[in-house]
Amino acid sequence: MLTSLFMPLLSFFVIDPVMEGIGDRLAATRAPAAIMQQVQACAATAPAALAERAAGDMWWGARTVVGVATGMTDGRAVLATASPACATVIAALSAGQPA
């Protein structure tokens, strides 16, 4: 039940915006196919990982949705901690950003 409650919220406020930002950045840099495969793996594993975490800790789910929606929590960090595939992609993108 909690999964069905939090999954649409997590998807709308966390997963979709972050994945869109990653896709835009990769398109602008013309990323190689290996990076695109990692992004696809992230997109495939993140929803289930976040749903499982939210189902196990509903307060975490609520705080995460509100935090990301208000800008108090970085959605990239949430995805990076949820899925090793996402952590790899986000670390690679962060390393490419100027400090």
Side-chain angles (χ1 to χ4, degrees), residues 3-99:
T3 302
S4 62
L5 173 68
F6 282 114
M7 198 55 226
L9 294 173
L10 286 168
S11 182
F12 183 77
F13 287 107
V14 180
I15 298 168
D16 294 344
V18 172
M19 294 307 294
E20 183 178 323
I22 289 172
D24 291 347
R25 175 119 188 255
L26 291 175
T29 61
R30 297 182 185 164
I35 298 290
M36 296 306 290
Q37 288 174 341
Q38 290 176 341
V39 170
Q40 290 173 344
C42 173
T45 60
L50 289 175
E52 184 177 324
R53 174 105 190 254
D57 183 357
M58 73 175 202
W59 295 117
W60 175 86
R63 282 191 317 268
T64 300
V65 168
V66 171
V68 172
T70 61
M72 302 287 290
T73 303
D74 183 11
R76 292 176 298 177
V78 172
L79 284 182
T81 59
S83 168
C86 294
T88 303
V89 170
I90 291 168
L93 290 175
S94 296
Q97 291 179 342

